[in-house]
């Protein structure tokens, strides 16, 4: 199943179960939500519904939300699954069904929609937290037992793993995550979900959204008990397609191909540096296209800086691959071809996206050339001074000027 089919399978599964399909909101959060610079989760546009400030169009919703997370930017390319931009599939209940139904839906879709074997699925549940004044989530444990999960595949974890909040404050709650065991080829039998290794891969987070966290650390109760789930499309595609990393799925592999075509280097069997550079081009190329489509422009502040940073990181990695010519327009063009069907704004804004890609790359390349010229000048002057000192007998003939760049 291709990533596009997985996206459609998820959304239509929930539509068939009375969920209203909602288009992704912008990556730029609404002004009423200053808690984040960019949308980081599928639930973010729905915060006013969870808080009871606004009535949802329907009590059950489903969406595939564009998300951008910056904390992992340095890890992108070095690991099998870190990304900046991703699409988050989610089903949401605003005061409608709660844990039992959320667990049943997740299991049904994982088995029948994604084709995962039930014995390969493990789950984690909130094991309690003293500071929050909450005990283990017995209700969630009972739901997993009720659908046939044995105790050993229900793993209890703490607040860091199984209590979810979209930011430092706001709607939150205990969560339960689904993991797929990829088998001994990916790690020893002693590994467990939550170990952050390659054997057990988390693919779906069910958040039981019933609290609101305030600035003073107090936990209030939301007007209703809600469900908020998140399943990263690239992660699910990696598992459904049985490939080693998110970059090997059909979606990101078609982005990797742009770097291959431009550099003449192959991704398969490449050394670490080349693999990392090709992956960074794929992730950042996709991310910059979506940010530009949502009206973010490169600058030195806030969202614009996040965009400028990924554009410049991509340009530098292009040099690692030996690409000399302007190439960001090729990366954004491929993203539009691959994702434009699901996100019409990419097609609508294609010209603007290409214009910014070209102008930012040209400007950065000029800055780099200027920097290289200045550095060359400094080196020449230093060498000239050394030569003079040597002639005056102040330096031994063996001294070399060493400059590392
Ligand atoms: N809101 C759940 C998640 O992003 O994992």
């Amino acid at each position: 199943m291709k990533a596009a089919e997985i996206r459609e399978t998820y959304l239509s599964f929930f539509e068939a179960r009375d969920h209203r399909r909602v288009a992704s909101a912008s990556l730029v959060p609404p002004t009423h939500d200053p808690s984040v610079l960019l949308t980081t989760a599928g639930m973010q546009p729905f915060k006013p519904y969870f808080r009871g400030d606004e009535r949802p169009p329907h009590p059950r919703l489903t969406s595939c939300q564009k998300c951008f997370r910056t904390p992992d930017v340095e890890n992108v390319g070095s690991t099998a699954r870190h990304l900046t931009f991703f699409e988050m599939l989610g089903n949401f209940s605003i005061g409608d069904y709660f844990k039992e139904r959320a667990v049943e839906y997740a299991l049904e879709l994982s088995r029948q929609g994604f084709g995962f074997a039930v014995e390969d699925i493990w789950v984690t549940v909130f094991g309690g937290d003293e500071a929050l004044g909450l005990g283990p989530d017995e209700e969630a444990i009972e739901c997993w037992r009720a659908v046939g999960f044995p105790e050993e595949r229900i793993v209890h974890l703490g607040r860091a793993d199984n209590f979810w909040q979209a930011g430092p404050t706001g709607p939150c709650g205990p969560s339960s995550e689904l993991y797929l065991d990829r088998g001994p080829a990916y790690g020893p039998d002693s590994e467990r979900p939550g170990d952050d290794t390659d054997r057990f891969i988390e693919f779906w987070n069910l958040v039981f959204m019933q609290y609101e966290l305030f600035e003073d650390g107090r936990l209030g109760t939301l007007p209703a008990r809600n469900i908020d789930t998140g399943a990263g499309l690239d992660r699910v595609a990696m598992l459904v397609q049985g490939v080693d990393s998110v970059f090997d799925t059909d979606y990101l592999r078609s982005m990797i191909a742009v770097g291959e075509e431009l550099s003449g280097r192959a991704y398969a069997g490449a050394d670490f540096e080349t693999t990392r550079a090709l992956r960074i081009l794929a992730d950042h190329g996709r991310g910059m296209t979506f940010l530009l489509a949502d009206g973010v422009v490169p600058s030195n502040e806030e969202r614009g800086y996040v965009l400028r940073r990924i554009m410049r990181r991509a340009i530098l990695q292009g040099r690692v691959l030996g690409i000399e010519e302007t190439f960001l327009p090729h990366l954004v063009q491929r993203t539009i071809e691959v994702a434009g069907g699901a996100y019409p704004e990419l097609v609508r804004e294609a010209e603007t996206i290409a214009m910014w890609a070209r102008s930012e790359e040209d400007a950065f390349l000029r800055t780099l050339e200027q920097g290289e010229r200045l550095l060359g000048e400094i080196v020449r002057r230093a060498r000239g001074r050394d030569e003079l000192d040597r002639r005056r007998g102040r330096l031994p003939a063996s001294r070399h000027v060493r400059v590392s760049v």
Side-chain angles (χ1 to χ4, degrees):
M1 238 203 300
K2 293 199 163 162
E5 293 169 62
I6 295 170
R7 192 196 288 119
E8 188 48 41
T9 298
Y10 187 103
L11 296 172
S12 48
F13 175 90
F14 283 103
E15 253 181 341
R17 285 153 188 81
D18 193 30
H19 289 64
R20 176 89 48 93
R21 190 190 290 221
V22 179
S24 171
S26 170
L27 279 168
V28 178
T31 43
H32 65 70
D33 188 359
S35 66
V36 282
L37 271 185
L38 293 164
T39 302
T40 57
M43 57 75 73
Q44 237 149 345
F46 307 139
K47 273 189 191 177
Y49 307 149
F50 290 132
R51 285 207 178 103
D53 296 340
E54 281 177 36
R55 256 175 81 90
H58 195 65
R60 297 177 176 205
L61 306 171
T62 185
S63 69
C64 183
Q65 174 64 46
K66 300 175 279 188
C67 297
F68 197 100
R69 293 186 185 173
T70 50
D72 291 334
V73 71
E74 299 289 342
N75 289 327
V76 172
S78 305
T79 72
R81 49 185 197 272
H82 283 106
L83 296 168
T84 55
F85 172 86
F86 58 93
E87 296 174 42
M88 187 70 104
L89 294 158
N91 53 291
F92 307 89
S93 151
I94 324 288
D96 193 77
Y97 62 87
F98 201 43
K99 296 180 191 181
E100 193 182 345
R101 188 62 58 83
V103 160
E104 285 167 5
Y105 284 154
L107 191 59
E108 188 185 347
L109 182 54
S110 299
R111 297 181 67 185
Q112 276 141 41
F114 302 153
F116 299 152
V118 69
E119 53 283 1
D120 292 337
I121 301 174
W122 290 56
V123 296
T124 61
V125 291
F126 179 60
D129 182 82
E130 230 172 86
L132 287 170
L134 298 174
D137 190 349
E138 297 296 347
E139 211 181 338
I141 297 165
E142 202 38 61
C143 291
W144 286 115
R145 282 188 191 131
V147 290
F149 269 66
E151 297 303 317
E152 64 270 19
R153 294 216 316 276
I154 306 175
V155 179
H156 299 212
L157 294 177
R159 179 177 182 172
D161 290 285
N162 278 104
F163 192 87
W164 201 87
Q165 51 199 82
T169 59
C172 57
S175 69
S176 182
E177 296 185 311
L178 285 85
Y179 282 74
L180 194 75
D181 177 3
R182 296 203 287 176
Y186 290 92
D189 289 343
S190 56
E191 286 183 4
R192 285 288 171 274
D195 288 349
D196 202 20
T197 54
D198 284 336
R199 173 150 178 179
F200 289 89
I201 300 291
E202 184 259 313
F203 65 94
W204 202 343
N205 186 16
L206 316 182
V207 184
F208 311 124
M209 193 66 82
Q210 60 192 113
Y211 301 111
E212 168 130 29
L213 195 59
F214 297 104
E215 254 170 48
D216 58 8
R218 222 167 16 92
L219 209 53
T221 308
L222 289 172
R225 305 205 304 168
N226 312 291
I227 289 296
D228 150 34
T229 86
L233 176 61
D234 300 294
R235 285 268 185 110
V236 176
M238 168 175 114
L239 297 173
V240 170
Q241 294 173 12
V243 291
D244 287 344
S245 87
V246 289
F247 299 97
D248 295 291
T249 61
D250 67 297
Y251 195 169
L252 280 167
R253 191 63 185 77
S254 58
M255 294 297 302
I256 295 254
V258 185
E260 288 183 313
E261 287 153 23
L262 291 164
S263 66
R265 296 197 198 179
Y267 176 65
D271 57 37
F272 175 77
E273 202 182 45
T274 303
T275 305
R276 180 169 176 270
L278 287 168
R279 288 173 168 182
I280 290 175
L281 258 54
D283 170 78
H284 291 11
R286 184 171 70 164
M288 72 182 75
T289 311
F290 275 90
L291 286 171
L292 286 164
D294 279 347
V296 182
V297 295
S299 77
N300 290 335
E301 279 172 27
E302 301 197 325
R303 293 182 260 283
Y305 180 66
V306 173
L307 172 59
R308 173 161 281 166
R309 190 159 166 230
I310 61 162
M311 291 178 106
R312 292 186 168 188
R313 278 172 55 86
I315 296 164
L316 288 174
Q317 290 302 317
R319 292 201 144 199
V320 168
L321 293 170
I323 306 173
E324 293 295 340
E325 76 269 32
T326 307
F327 69 94
L328 292 192
H330 296 290
L331 278 181
V332 301
Q333 180 54 35
R334 181 63 54 88
T335 310
I336 295 167
E337 285 160 15
V338 175
Y343 297 93
E345 65 273 29
L346 299 182
V347 180
R348 205 171 51 236
E349 299 298 329
E351 258 180 54
T352 312
I353 297 169
M355 187 275 288
W356 278 109
R358 193 170 305 108
S359 64
E360 181 66 10
E361 186 165 14
D362 287 347
F364 187 48
L365 288 179
R366 275 198 302 277
T367 309
L368 281 179
E369 276 161 22
Q370 211 175 355
E372 276 163 10
R373 257 203 315 279
L374 277 173
L375 193 63
E377 189 59 26
I378 291 167
V379 172
R380 266 193 304 283
R381 277 203 212 128
R383 284 204 176 120
R385 262 201 311 277
D386 266 14
E387 189 51 35
L388 214 60
D389 284 349
R390 220 176 347 262
R391 284 204 202 128
R392 288 175 182 155
R394 288 184 203 151
L395 263 186
S398 61
R399 180 173 151 182
H400 297 287
V401 177
R402 283 180 159 249
V403 178
S404 57
V405 283

